[in-house]
Amino acid sequence: MTTLTIGNRLDDEDVAEQSKHDRHNCITGGHRACQGCGEALGARCVLDVAHRVAGGNIAVVNATGCLEVFSCVYPENSWQVPWLHSLFGNAAAVATGVASAFAISGKKDMRVIAQGGDGSTSDIGLGCLSGMFDRNDDVLYVCYDNQAYMNTGVQRSSATPILARTATTLPTRGYMGNTVGTGKNLPEIAIAHGIPYVATASISNIRDLEEKISKAILRRGSRYVHVHVPCPLGWGYPPSETIRIARMAVECGLFPLFEAENGVVVGSTPVDNPKPVEEYLRTQRRFAHLFGKNASPEAIETIQQIASRNLEKYRLSGELSHE
Ligand SMILES: Cc1ncc(C[n+]2csc(CCOP(=O)(O)OP(=O)(O)O)c2C)c(N)n1
Ligand code: SF4
Ligand SMILES: [Mg+2]
C-alpha cells in the first residue's frame, strides 16, 4: 500500500520504503537535526528498510555524534526501535556484545546494526571496528560520512576531503586547507578485511541505498555500508541543496557507488558523462578558497585526478557495472 505522494503510481514492490504509508518510521520527527541534514535522512532510510526486511527484529547501537545528539536530548527521544548509545569510539565493540547476547539467549532472528559518523568510524573507533571485522562478528555497521566532526564544530576527520576548509584546517597564506596526501579510505579498509559484504551508498539514490541495506541486513557475519551524507552547516550550502550536492558527488566520481563481497569488488553504478569536479566544489563554502581572487587551478586539478582515478578504478562505466 502506498501513500498519495511521490511513487504512488508504481507497483508495490517498486515503491521505495520511504514512500510506503506503513514504513516503521524508526526515527520520528521532532528531533533536533539541522534543516536539510543528510545524516538524518540517511539514517531514516537505512533503518526503515532494515526494519522491514528483518521483520522488525533489529536493535541499534549508536556512537556519539550528531545522529545520537540530535535524536535523544533528555528527556526526549526519537527512536522507535531498541536503541543503545555507546561511547564515541566503541560502537562496533558494543554491537558485538549485543549480537552475542542475542545469540546466547536464543534470539536468532535479531539483527544488530551499529552506526556512527565518519569521525567515530575512521578515527577513534577504527580499532574496535577492525576487531569486529577480524572476528567476522555478526553486525551490520553503517557509517554516515559527512566528512568532518560536525557535532563538535566541524573539525577535520580522516574522511575530510583534501583541500577542504574545516575549523582545524583553516586556509591561510601558503596553506590551502586539509593537506594533500592525508586521509583514509574506509570502504577500502573494510574490503581489505575480506568481510562478507561492503557497499557505498548515497542519499541521492535511495533505491540503491535501500537495495544494499536489504541485502546487507539479511547476511550474517560483518557487513559494512558507507553512506555519503552532505551537511549544510559544515559544508556551507543552503539546506535545500542536500540531495543535489549528494548527487553531484556521485556524478563527478568523487563518491563512487560500489559493492564488494568477501574482499572483491563485484559491482558498481556507472556514471554517464561524468561532470567536472569544479561544478561540485563550487556549491560549497568549504571549497570557496579554491576560487575567487586566490583561485587555484592546480588544487582543483588535484581533486579532479582523484575523481578520474575513482571512475577508472571502480570501472564506473566498465564491465563490472550493473548495466
Ligand atoms: C572520547 C571522546 N572524545 C571526544 C568526544 C567529543 N565528540 C563527540 S561527537 C564528536 C565528533 C563526531 O564526529 P563524527 O563521528 O564524524 O559524527 P558527526 O557528528 O559528524 O555526525 C566528538 C569529537 C567524545 N564524545 N568522546
Ligand atoms: S551539523 Fe550537519 S550532520 Fe549535524 S545535524 Fe546539522 S546538518 Fe546534520
Ligand atoms: Mg562526521
Side-chain angles (χ1 to χ4, degrees), residues 117-119 146-150:
D118 51 291
N146 53 23
Q147 304 185 328
Y149 291 13
M150 296 312 179

Side-chain angles (χ1 to χ4, degrees), residues 1-318:
M1 164 105 63
T2 60
T3 63
L4 295 176
T5 56
I6 294 170
N8 67 339
R9 294 173 300 276
L10 298 170
D11 293 338
D12 238 20
E13 62 272 18
D14 293 330
V15 173
E17 183 63 26
Q18 286 303 311
S19 296
K20 293 181 180 158
H21 84 107
D22 62 344
R23 73 182 168 85
H24 189 67
N25 204 7
C26 295
I27 313 171
T28 47
H31 57 64
R32 298 173 191 194
C34 309
Q35 197 180 22
C37 173
E39 189 165 78
L41 176 62
R44 172 175 139 174
C45 293
V46 164
L47 295 182
D48 282 349
V49 79
H51 187 275
R52 166 91 56 192
V53 173
N57 296 315
I58 61 171
V60 181
V61 176
N62 211 131
T64 313
C66 269
L67 178 59
E68 165 265 327
V69 168
F70 71 61
S71 61
C72 65
V73 183
Y74 182 82
E76 293 155 5
N77 194 308
S78 296
W79 299 94
Q80 305 302 312
V81 285
W83 183 88
L84 202 151
H85 172 214
S86 66
L87 297 177
F88 185 29
N90 68 353
V94 171
T96 289
V98 173
S100 303
F102 283 136
I104 276 171
S105 53
K107 296 187 171 144
K108 304 253 184 263
D109 291 340
M110 286 302 292
R111 310 277 165 164
V112 179
I113 300 171
Q115 50 184 11
D118 51 291
S120 72
T121 307
S122 65
D123 292 331
I124 191 169
L126 184 58
C128 289
L129 184 64
S130 176
M132 184 194 112
F133 289 163
D134 170 46
R135 296 182 301 268
N136 198 22
D137 293 331
D138 191 19
V139 174
L140 165 59
Y141 191 104
V142 182
C143 173
Y144 300 104
D145 183 6
N146 53 23
Q147 304 185 328
Y149 291 13
M150 296 312 179
N151 180 57
T152 41
V154 198
Q155 294 87 11
R156 175 198 182 272
S157 82
S158 53
T160 299
I162 57 161
L163 300 165
R165 184 194 71 189
T166 67
T168 47
T169 58
L170 287 176
T172 54
R173 195 183 291 271
Y175 178 69
M176 292 298 285
N178 191 27
T179 310
V180 175
T182 59
K184 303 174 194 170
N185 184 328
L186 249 290
E188 289 289 347
I189 291 172
I191 290 172
H193 287 76
I195 57 173
Y197 187 77
V198 175
T200 58
S202 166
I203 52 162
S204 66
N205 191 340
I206 285 177
R207 278 162 200 286
D208 180 69
L209 186 158
E210 288 186 355
E211 239 175 69
K212 287 168 174 167
I213 294 294
S214 302
K215 211 182 276 185
I217 194 73
L218 289 182
R219 294 194 72 155
R220 292 294 190 183
S222 287
R223 296 89 84 201
Y224 179 79
V225 179
H226 191 101
V227 189
H228 189 240
V229 290
C231 163
L233 184 139
W235 296 13
Y237 66 82
S240 58
E241 293 292 284
T242 294
I243 299 295
R244 192 170 75 90
I245 287 175
R247 186 173 298 118
M248 287 175 92
V250 173
E251 287 177 347
C252 72
L254 280 177
F255 193 82
L257 298 179
F258 58 88
E259 290 177 290
E261 293 179 355
N262 306 312
V264 178
V265 176
V266 293
S268 57
T269 303
V271 178
D272 297 327
N273 306 317
K275 294 199 162 56
V277 294
E278 184 173 339
E279 278 183 33
Y280 169 71
L281 301 176
R282 278 188 183 279
T283 59
Q284 302 153 54
R285 275 203 307 281
R286 64 179 175 157
F287 295 115
H289 57 284
L290 304 181
F291 301 97
K293 71 174 173 4
N294 296 321
S296 174
E298 303 78 32
I300 294 165
E301 180 50 31
T302 305
I303 300 173
Q304 181 63 57
Q305 282 171 11
I306 294 172
S308 303
R309 263 202 310 275
N310 282 341
L311 291 166
E312 201 177 318
K313 182 173 177 184
Y314 298 107
R315 298 195 219 170
L316 298 184
S317 50

